[in-house]
Amino acid sequence: MIGKQTKGRGFRHLLDYLESRDEAKLIGGNMSGRNARELAQEFKLSRQLNSDADRVVYHVSLSAAKGDKLDDEKWNEIGDRYMKEMGFDANQFVIFRHHNTDDDHIHVAASRIRIDTGLLVHDSWDYVRSEKVLRQIERDYDLVQVQGSREKLQRTPSTGQIRRIRREQEEYSLGQRDSLPERTIKEQVQQIIDDASVDNPQMPLFIMRLQVDGISVRTGFTRNGKSKGISYEKDGQAFSGTQLGAAYTFPGLQKHRGVDYQPERDDQRLNELLLNPVTSLPEYPPHQEVILAQTPTKPQFTPPPEDESLRRVLQYYLTQQRGITNFLVQPLQRQGLAYIDQQENVVFVKRGLDGEKSGALVWDTARIDNRCTEYPENSDRSSCWFHFKLGGEADDKIERVYLCSSPIDALTMAEIDRNAHKGQPLVRTMYMAVDSPDNLPFELLRNISRIGLAFNNDDLGNEAAQVVHKMLPQAKRIAPKGLTWNEILVKERQQQQEILEQKQRGRGFSR
């Protein structure tokens, strides 16, 4: 599903357009008008609440992917939900359905002025938030997953693969199968490539690692010897770099995975490897090992620069879109543990157990997998994590730990924990985001008896829980009913708000 947003000044011209298309149909909204003239007159009500506002007209078109069939009722549900999640929960809006193009689509015309406060709906990051909302709607309504406008470094599984994984996950939960859903060949290839490039190897060594792990590699060369592409094959299935994602193309390996390629140094060796694949990796001579051991492996960490003008935007995003209270958000910002960089991504700073800042996770709000990417990509992940503590006294021994898939979920678990204890947990508790289950402070965790494995309820989350449980048998899996714990928190916040609004309306009616 694709969403296109615009803002303008006049309602009547837009409404005339929406009404005049062939087979145009008014299918929903929260207004009583039945035609463009009546609706334009009705929109004047909200405009009068804020006469100084300029671009008060909000227009969005939502187009279904080819193959998705929706009736008026489903389109109306989707339109209502989209507007609410975009912050138009107290605004006038109307929904028209059009059939004038090949793509089934609706148009929503709305006032940006809230009826309850007279203020404009916040529009920071509205394009990013729109993609996030649409990706979730696609999942909830079992629609075709559409690639977002921002280039993804890793292509997501197909709709059929997602459905298979969901089915097998449900069978596993019900005890109808003995193992978790198997990862697709495509995902296996992506993981092998990620592992093979983790230490920024030279291109020939990278290719050798793939060959040893059972991946056949092909590259193409132009007449002047420059590489022009790469493809991979495993178990009879072949993928181009583009099919796997931008990070897996030949230039993407260098830009995003840090693979070192120098044509004059590498091309001859690459040709030899493609003609005669290796089955084992060469051993390095002893003197080279000494040299590598003496080379510094942990450069000084430099975080991505902050855009200080967006501090209030981060607070709005975490509190309004993610349901995290200022009790947690404000200390994060004061300590510099969360901020927005100059690419408008949320940055969560990683620290060692001694509190030293030595890494960062970048949360791209356009991603649909509820996970972060490492910054920088070649950073050392083994000794720093995003973590914080609540409860007890500052110098108390840690007695409880929650391990989560992302900083957002770590904050979410803290909120859920605070709500359960009506303030603060009784004992010192750590909440930690785990970007790799193999890299954890095991020396600390082995001595803690109460560990909650609060990973996402998906393939990667369940796999991470299994890996950690083998090393920490005392840990207990606590999977959310939805995909993430944050989904549950946001829904609870929405329900609380709806109950409050119902009570307010009831008091108003009783008068």
Side-chain angles (χ1 to χ4, degrees):
M1 186 169 291
I2 297 175
K4 297 181 180 179
Q5 307 172 76
T6 59
K7 302 178 184 71
R9 295 182 175 85
F11 287 102
R12 184 58 187 269
H13 180 73
L14 171 61
L15 293 167
D16 285 341
Y17 164 78
L18 298 181
E19 185 181 53
S20 64
R21 299 301 92 182
D22 293 339
E23 299 184 52
K25 184 178 181 182
L26 177 59
I27 65 168
N30 56 12
M31 304 176 70
S32 59
R34 295 294 92 190
N35 56 52
R37 183 183 60 80
E38 293 175 355
L39 291 167
Q41 188 69 24
E42 197 171 343
F43 270 121
K44 289 182 179 180
L45 173 63
S46 59
R47 187 186 281 276
Q48 291 170 356
L49 297 175
N50 191 339
S51 58
D52 295 329
D54 185 17
R55 301 173 68 83
V56 300
V57 179
Y58 178 79
H59 172 212
V60 60
S61 64
L62 303 179
S63 301
K66 295 186 185 299
D68 283 337
K69 301 299 181 183
L70 301 169
D71 55 23
D72 288 350
E73 183 179 359
K74 277 288 185 288
W75 266 127
N76 193 20
E77 286 181 19
I78 289 172
D80 282 344
R81 173 172 168 176
Y82 177 89
M83 294 303 289
K84 184 173 183 179
E85 296 195 20
M86 288 297 290
F88 290 80
D89 55 336
N91 300 67
Q92 295 174 307
F93 71 93
V94 62
I95 304 173
F96 281 87
R97 186 177 185 183
H98 281 180
H99 300 274
N100 60 320
T101 66
D102 293 336
D103 298 326
D104 188 13
H105 65 283
I106 60 172
H107 291 264
V108 184
S111 170
R112 294 182 60 218
I113 301 173
R114 295 179 62 90
I115 294 295
D116 54 351
T117 64
L119 301 176
L120 291 176
V121 171
H122 201 295
D123 64 350
S124 294
W125 287 11
D126 55 358
Y127 289 94
V128 175
R129 289 187 289 116
S130 175
E131 287 190 357
K132 186 74 173 179
V133 170
L134 292 176
R135 299 297 82 79
Q136 187 61 52
I137 288 175
E138 288 165 350
R139 289 195 291 273
D140 292 347
Y141 285 84
D142 202 21
L143 303 176
V144 173
Q145 293 277 301
V146 175
Q147 188 80 352
S149 65
R150 290 190 176 187
E151 182 184 39
K152 302 295 187 296
L153 298 183
Q154 187 179 74
R155 292 291 179 87
T156 56
S158 67
T159 302
Q161 292 167 342
I162 292 174
R163 289 172 177 166
R164 174 189 64 78
I165 292 171
R166 287 178 178 172
R167 182 184 69 252
E168 293 180 357
Q169 175 63 48
E170 183 176 356
E171 291 172 354
Y172 175 78
S173 301
L174 296 174
Q176 298 173 356
R177 61 181 286 130
D178 297 328
S179 60
L180 289 166
E182 292 185 5
R183 303 180 75 178
T184 64
I185 297 294
K186 183 177 182 179
E187 291 175 304
Q188 292 177 36
V189 172
Q190 290 169 329
Q191 185 62 57
I192 291 172
I193 294 172
D194 291 348
D195 293 342
S197 59
V198 69
D199 57 348
N200 309 115
Q202 295 179 4
M203 186 65 74
L205 176 58
F206 169 73
I207 297 297
M208 283 191 284
R209 288 174 175 176
L210 297 185
Q211 292 173 341
V212 170
D213 284 336
I215 294 181
S216 176
V217 182
R218 294 183 179 181
T219 61
F221 292 88
T222 60
R223 291 181 179 178
N224 60 7
K226 292 185 178 180
S227 177
K228 62 178 180 180
I230 190 168
S231 63
Y232 315 87
E233 183 178 336
K234 177 177 171 59
D235 298 341
Q237 293 192 35
F239 306 93
S240 67
T242 303
Q243 287 175 317
L244 296 182
Y248 304 92
T249 63
F250 200 90
L253 291 170
Q254 301 163 65
K255 178 180 179 181
H256 301 295
R257 305 305 313 169
V259 177
D260 180 12
Y261 170 63
Q262 298 177 27
E264 294 182 359
R265 181 195 65 196
D266 298 337
D267 282 350
Q268 182 177 350
R269 181 59 178 145
L270 288 178
N271 278 320
E272 294 172 356
L273 289 170
L274 298 180
L275 292 173
N276 299 293
V278 300
T279 56
S280 62
L281 294 175
E283 294 185 3
Y284 293 102
H287 73 277
Q288 188 168 352
E289 292 179 358
V290 173
I291 293 172
L292 291 175
Q294 293 174 348
T295 302
T297 59
K298 188 178 179 182
Q300 185 176 2
F301 171 67
T302 303
E306 179 183 4
D307 187 335
E308 296 184 3
S309 67
L310 297 178
R311 289 185 178 180
R312 292 179 64 89
V313 175
L314 174 61
Q315 186 178 36
Y316 176 85
Y317 174 71
L318 292 176
T319 58
Q320 301 302 312
Q321 301 299 319
R322 292 293 175 173
I324 312 298
T325 62
N326 276 322
F327 179 87
L328 296 178
V329 173
Q330 290 178 351
L332 279 181
Q333 291 186 300
R334 284 198 305 268
Q335 298 172 39
L337 299 180
Y339 60 89
I340 298 177
D341 66 14
Q342 295 176 358
Q343 281 69 49
E344 296 190 349
N345 292 319
V346 179
V347 175
F348 293 98
V349 174
K350 298 169 62 177
R351 298 174 295 159
L353 296 181
D354 59 0
E356 180 183 357
K357 298 177 181 179
S358 52
L361 294 171
V362 177
W363 175 276
D364 183 346
T365 58
R367 285 173 66 103
I368 64 175
D369 60 359
N370 292 285
R371 286 180 170 81
C372 293
T373 56
E374 190 80 16
Y375 176 90
E377 293 181 4
N378 61 347
S379 63
D380 179 10
R381 305 184 183 192
S382 62
S383 60
C384 60
W385 308 268
F386 174 83
H387 65 89
F388 59 95
K389 307 180 191 76
L390 293 178
E393 299 296 332
D395 56 352
D396 283 354
K397 178 182 177 182
I398 298 172
E399 296 187 32
R400 299 162 72 231
V401 174
Y402 286 101
L403 303 179
C404 306
S405 294
S406 72
I408 293 291
D409 266 5
L411 292 165
T412 298
M413 288 307 301
E415 289 289 355
I416 294 174
D417 207 17
R418 289 182 62 240
N419 292 339
H421 291 91
K422 297 181 180 180
Q424 291 262 24
L426 299 178
V427 298
R428 198 64 171 163
T429 304
M430 174 184 284
Y431 311 86
M432 176 179 286
V434 179
D435 40 315
S436 171
D438 297 321
N439 296 326
L440 281 172
F442 288 109
E443 292 301 320
L444 167 70
L445 297 177
R446 287 192 184 99
N447 298 317
I448 297 175
S449 60
R450 301 160 67 185
I451 300 176
L453 305 179
F455 299 117
N456 288 1
N457 190 12
D458 61 5
D459 200 22
L460 292 176
N462 288 311
E463 183 179 339
Q466 282 190 328
V467 171
V468 176
H469 187 262
K470 288 180 180 179
M471 294 180 282
L472 300 170
Q474 76 275 28
K476 181 180 179 181
R477 176 69 164 125
I478 48 172
K481 293 182 180 180
L483 177 62
T484 70
W485 285 102
N486 189 251
E487 289 182 4
I488 296 173
L489 179 65
V490 170
K491 288 179 181 178
E492 288 179 351
R493 295 279 194 259
Q494 292 173 346
Q495 291 171 356
Q496 292 170 359
Q497 182 64 27
E498 289 172 359
I499 293 172
L500 178 62
E501 291 175 354
Q502 289 175 358
K503 289 181 178 179
Q504 291 175 340
R505 286 195 294 268
R507 288 196 295 270
F509 181 79
S510 65
R511 293 192 185 99

